[in-house]
Amino acid sequence: MTISYGALAGLIAAIAFLILVLFTIPMLIRTAKVLKETSATIQTTNESMKKLSEDMDGLMDQTHNLLDQTNDLMIDINGKMKTLDPVVKAAADLGESVSELNDSSKKIAKRFSSNHFSHAGLVSSIAATAFARRRRRRGEN
């Protein structure tokens, strides 16, 4: 039995192809495992993203409600501030009046001190005025 060179070349090619297939089978099995793990990871990621999206929707609803309540609170505060404006203005006017009264009291005290009233003279003039008023009330002249 004689083998021709063409048949020998075909046999060598077939053996090389068989060796190639035998070495690629474990690699293909590992690649299949990696693809399965990758598919599982992608599925887990998709589930996590879905859950995260649902949580974000809930958070956005709560944030929207909180902003609505904040707006209502600000409207209420602004209304109350408008009611307090007259009170604040009245307090400012009272402070101004007290300041004017204080200035007037200082001017009167300055006049009395500039007229050089003695304490005894001042007390006697106040007493005389008080007695005069008392006599007038009683009808005495």
PDB file of all heavy atoms in Angstrom, residues 35-52:
ATOM      1  N   LEU A  35     -19.405  33.695  29.050  1.00  0.00           N
ATOM      2  CA  LEU A  35     -20.602  34.313  28.468  1.00  0.00           C
ATOM      3  C   LEU A  35     -21.826  34.096  29.365  1.00  0.00           C
ATOM      4  O   LEU A  35     -22.666  34.995  29.501  1.00  0.00           O
ATOM      5  CB  LEU A  35     -20.859  33.772  27.062  1.00  0.00           C
ATOM      6  CG  LEU A  35     -19.904  34.281  25.977  1.00  0.00           C
ATOM      7  CD1 LEU A  35     -20.181  33.580  24.659  1.00  0.00           C
ATOM      8  CD2 LEU A  35     -20.023  35.783  25.824  1.00  0.00           C
ATOM      9  N   LYS A  36     -21.938  32.898  29.978  1.00  0.00           N
ATOM     10  CA  LYS A  36     -23.047  32.650  30.906  1.00  0.00           C
ATOM     11  C   LYS A  36     -22.944  33.579  32.119  1.00  0.00           C
ATOM     12  O   LYS A  36     -23.928  34.158  32.562  1.00  0.00           O
ATOM     13  CB  LYS A  36     -23.051  31.190  31.370  1.00  0.00           C
ATOM     14  CG  LYS A  36     -23.593  30.230  30.358  1.00  0.00           C
ATOM     15  CD  LYS A  36     -23.588  28.810  30.905  1.00  0.00           C
ATOM     16  CE  LYS A  36     -24.028  27.818  29.840  1.00  0.00           C
ATOM     17  NZ  LYS A  36     -23.962  26.433  30.330  1.00  0.00           N
ATOM     18  N   GLU A  37     -21.730  33.712  32.669  1.00  0.00           N
ATOM     19  CA  GLU A  37     -21.534  34.603  33.815  1.00  0.00           C
ATOM     20  C   GLU A  37     -21.810  36.056  33.422  1.00  0.00           C
ATOM     21  O   GLU A  37     -22.428  36.814  34.189  1.00  0.00           O
ATOM     22  CB  GLU A  37     -20.116  34.461  34.356  1.00  0.00           C
ATOM     23  CG  GLU A  37     -19.851  33.135  35.038  1.00  0.00           C
ATOM     24  CD  GLU A  37     -18.395  32.959  35.454  1.00  0.00           C
ATOM     25  OE1 GLU A  37     -17.603  33.923  35.313  1.00  0.00           O
ATOM     26  OE2 GLU A  37     -18.049  31.862  35.925  1.00  0.00           O
ATOM     27  N   THR A  38     -21.367  36.429  32.259  1.00  0.00           N
ATOM     28  CA  THR A  38     -21.622  37.787  31.779  1.00  0.00           C
ATOM     29  C   THR A  38     -23.116  38.017  31.604  1.00  0.00           C
ATOM     30  O   THR A  38     -23.640  39.076  31.969  1.00  0.00           O
ATOM     31  CB  THR A  38     -20.887  38.023  30.434  1.00  0.00           C
ATOM     32  OG1 THR A  38     -19.505  37.756  30.608  1.00  0.00           O
ATOM     33  CG2 THR A  38     -21.081  39.442  29.952  1.00  0.00           C
ATOM     34  N   SER A  39     -23.812  37.033  31.080  1.00  0.00           N
ATOM     35  CA  SER A  39     -25.271  37.141  30.920  1.00  0.00           C
ATOM     36  C   SER A  39     -25.953  37.276  32.279  1.00  0.00           C
ATOM     37  O   SER A  39     -26.858  38.106  32.449  1.00  0.00           O
ATOM     38  CB  SER A  39     -25.794  35.909  30.178  1.00  0.00           C
ATOM     39  OG  SER A  39     -27.189  35.963  30.069  1.00  0.00           O
ATOM     40  N   ALA A  40     -25.493  36.480  33.261  1.00  0.00           N
ATOM     41  CA  ALA A  40     -26.063  36.576  34.610  1.00  0.00           C
ATOM     42  C   ALA A  40     -25.775  37.943  35.220  1.00  0.00           C
ATOM     43  O   ALA A  40     -26.644  38.545  35.867  1.00  0.00           O
ATOM     44  CB  ALA A  40     -25.516  35.463  35.499  1.00  0.00           C
ATOM     45  N   THR A  41     -24.559  38.438  35.004  1.00  0.00           N
ATOM     46  CA  THR A  41     -24.200  39.759  35.530  1.00  0.00           C
ATOM     47  C   THR A  41     -25.039  40.848  34.884  1.00  0.00           C
ATOM     48  O   THR A  41     -25.523  41.760  35.563  1.00  0.00           O
ATOM     49  CB  THR A  41     -22.695  40.025  35.286  1.00  0.00           C
ATOM     50  OG1 THR A  41     -21.936  38.998  35.896  1.00  0.00           O
ATOM     51  CG2 THR A  41     -22.289  41.373  35.843  1.00  0.00           C
ATOM     52  N   ILE A  42     -25.234  40.748  33.587  1.00  0.00           N
ATOM     53  CA  ILE A  42     -26.068  41.738  32.887  1.00  0.00           C
ATOM     54  C   ILE A  42     -27.509  41.675  33.387  1.00  0.00           C
ATOM     55  O   ILE A  42     -28.145  42.704  33.596  1.00  0.00           O
ATOM     56  CB  ILE A  42     -25.978  41.524  31.358  1.00  0.00           C
ATOM     57  CG1 ILE A  42     -24.598  41.941  30.865  1.00  0.00           C
ATOM     58  CG2 ILE A  42     -27.066  42.310  30.629  1.00  0.00           C
ATOM     59  CD1 ILE A  42     -24.341  41.631  29.409  1.00  0.00           C
ATOM     60  N   GLN A  43     -28.004  40.465  33.622  1.00  0.00           N
ATOM     61  CA  GLN A  43     -29.370  40.321  34.133  1.00  0.00           C
ATOM     62  C   GLN A  43     -29.481  40.936  35.530  1.00  0.00           C
ATOM     63  O   GLN A  43     -30.426  41.664  35.832  1.00  0.00           O
ATOM     64  CB  GLN A  43     -29.769  38.846  34.165  1.00  0.00           C
ATOM     65  CG  GLN A  43     -31.212  38.629  34.577  1.00  0.00           C
ATOM     66  CD  GLN A  43     -31.595  37.151  34.534  1.00  0.00           C
ATOM     67  OE1 GLN A  43     -30.787  36.290  34.214  1.00  0.00           O
ATOM     68  NE2 GLN A  43     -32.843  36.886  34.862  1.00  0.00           N
ATOM     69  N   THR A  44     -28.501  40.673  36.393  1.00  0.00           N
ATOM     70  CA  THR A  44     -28.492  41.258  37.741  1.00  0.00           C
ATOM     71  C   THR A  44     -28.405  42.779  37.659  1.00  0.00           C
ATOM     72  O   THR A  44     -29.106  43.499  38.394  1.00  0.00           O
ATOM     73  CB  THR A  44     -27.304  40.707  38.552  1.00  0.00           C
ATOM     74  OG1 THR A  44     -27.371  39.293  38.571  1.00  0.00           O
ATOM     75  CG2 THR A  44     -27.316  41.235  39.969  1.00  0.00           C
ATOM     76  N   THR A  45     -27.581  43.269  36.754  1.00  0.00           N
ATOM     77  CA  THR A  45     -27.440  44.716  36.572  1.00  0.00           C
ATOM     78  C   THR A  45     -28.755  45.324  36.104  1.00  0.00           C
ATOM     79  O   THR A  45     -29.169  46.389  36.591  1.00  0.00           O
ATOM     80  CB  THR A  45     -26.314  45.027  35.561  1.00  0.00           C
ATOM     81  OG1 THR A  45     -25.111  44.434  36.020  1.00  0.00           O
ATOM     82  CG2 THR A  45     -26.126  46.515  35.391  1.00  0.00           C
ATOM     83  N   ASN A  46     -29.425  44.647  35.170  1.00  0.00           N
ATOM     84  CA  ASN A  46     -30.724  45.152  34.697  1.00  0.00           C
ATOM     85  C   ASN A  46     -31.750  45.186  35.818  1.00  0.00           C
ATOM     86  O   ASN A  46     -32.514  46.146  35.946  1.00  0.00           O
ATOM     87  CB  ASN A  46     -31.234  44.298  33.535  1.00  0.00           C
ATOM     88  CG  ASN A  46     -30.500  44.579  32.244  1.00  0.00           C
ATOM     89  OD1 ASN A  46     -29.909  45.639  32.079  1.00  0.00           O
ATOM     90  ND2 ASN A  46     -30.527  43.622  31.326  1.00  0.00           N
ATOM     91  N   GLU A  47     -31.764  44.149  36.665  1.00  0.00           N
ATOM     92  CA  GLU A  47     -32.693  44.130  37.801  1.00  0.00           C
ATOM     93  C   GLU A  47     -32.364  45.244  38.790  1.00  0.00           C
ATOM     94  O   GLU A  47     -33.261  45.913  39.310  1.00  0.00           O
ATOM     95  CB  GLU A  47     -32.651  42.765  38.490  1.00  0.00           C
ATOM     96  CG  GLU A  47     -33.246  41.637  37.667  1.00  0.00           C
ATOM     97  CD  GLU A  47     -33.011  40.257  38.268  1.00  0.00           C
ATOM     98  OE1 GLU A  47     -32.376  40.164  39.354  1.00  0.00           O
ATOM     99  OE2 GLU A  47     -33.444  39.276  37.646  1.00  0.00           O
ATOM    100  N   SER A  48     -31.061  45.426  39.036  1.00  0.00           N
ATOM    101  CA  SER A  48     -30.644  46.495  39.954  1.00  0.00           C
ATOM    102  C   SER A  48     -31.015  47.864  39.401  1.00  0.00           C
ATOM    103  O   SER A  48     -31.481  48.741  40.132  1.00  0.00           O
ATOM    104  CB  SER A  48     -29.134  46.427  40.198  1.00  0.00           C
ATOM    105  OG  SER A  48     -28.789  45.228  40.828  1.00  0.00           O
ATOM    106  N   MET A  49     -30.816  48.049  38.114  1.00  0.00           N
ATOM    107  CA  MET A  49     -31.157  49.327  37.487  1.00  0.00           C
ATOM    108  C   MET A  49     -32.672  49.569  37.551  1.00  0.00           C
ATOM    109  O   MET A  49     -33.111  50.701  37.764  1.00  0.00           O
ATOM    110  CB  MET A  49     -30.677  49.363  36.033  1.00  0.00           C
ATOM    111  CG  MET A  49     -29.164  49.435  35.891  1.00  0.00           C
ATOM    112  SD  MET A  49     -28.461  50.907  36.633  1.00  0.00           S
ATOM    113  CE  MET A  49     -29.051  52.137  35.502  1.00  0.00           C
ATOM    114  N   LYS A  50     -33.453  48.509  37.362  1.00  0.00           N
ATOM    115  CA  LYS A  50     -34.913  48.640  37.453  1.00  0.00           C
ATOM    116  C   LYS A  50     -35.310  49.047  38.869  1.00  0.00           C
ATOM    117  O   LYS A  50     -36.118  49.958  39.060  1.00  0.00           O
ATOM    118  CB  LYS A  50     -35.575  47.318  37.062  1.00  0.00           C
ATOM    119  CG  LYS A  50     -37.073  47.378  37.034  1.00  0.00           C
ATOM    120  CD  LYS A  50     -37.662  46.048  36.598  1.00  0.00           C
ATOM    121  CE  LYS A  50     -39.179  46.104  36.628  1.00  0.00           C
ATOM    122  NZ  LYS A  50     -39.787  44.821  36.282  1.00  0.00           N
ATOM    123  N   LYS A  51     -34.715  48.383  39.870  1.00  0.00           N
ATOM    124  CA  LYS A  51     -35.008  48.706  41.273  1.00  0.00           C
ATOM    125  C   LYS A  51     -34.559  50.128  41.592  1.00  0.00           C
ATOM    126  O   LYS A  51     -35.283  50.888  42.257  1.00  0.00           O
ATOM    127  CB  LYS A  51     -34.287  47.691  42.180  1.00  0.00           C
ATOM    128  CG  LYS A  51     -34.438  47.936  43.649  1.00  0.00           C
ATOM    129  CD  LYS A  51     -35.832  47.631  44.111  1.00  0.00           C
ATOM    130  CE  LYS A  51     -35.874  47.742  45.627  1.00  0.00           C
ATOM    131  NZ  LYS A  51     -37.203  47.987  46.103  1.00  0.00           N
ATOM    132  N   LEU A  52     -33.369  50.500  41.111  1.00  0.00           N
ATOM    133  CA  LEU A  52     -32.860  51.852  41.336  1.00  0.00           C
ATOM    134  C   LEU A  52     -33.764  52.889  40.685  1.00  0.00           C
ATOM    135  O   LEU A  52     -34.036  53.942  41.267  1.00  0.00           O
ATOM    136  CB  LEU A  52     -31.434  51.961  40.793  1.00  0.00           C
ATOM    137  CG  LEU A  52     -30.707  53.278  40.998  1.00  0.00           C
ATOM    138  CD1 LEU A  52     -30.545  53.551  42.489  1.00  0.00           C
ATOM    139  CD2 LEU A  52     -29.362  53.253  40.306  1.00  0.00           C
TER     140      LEU A  52
END
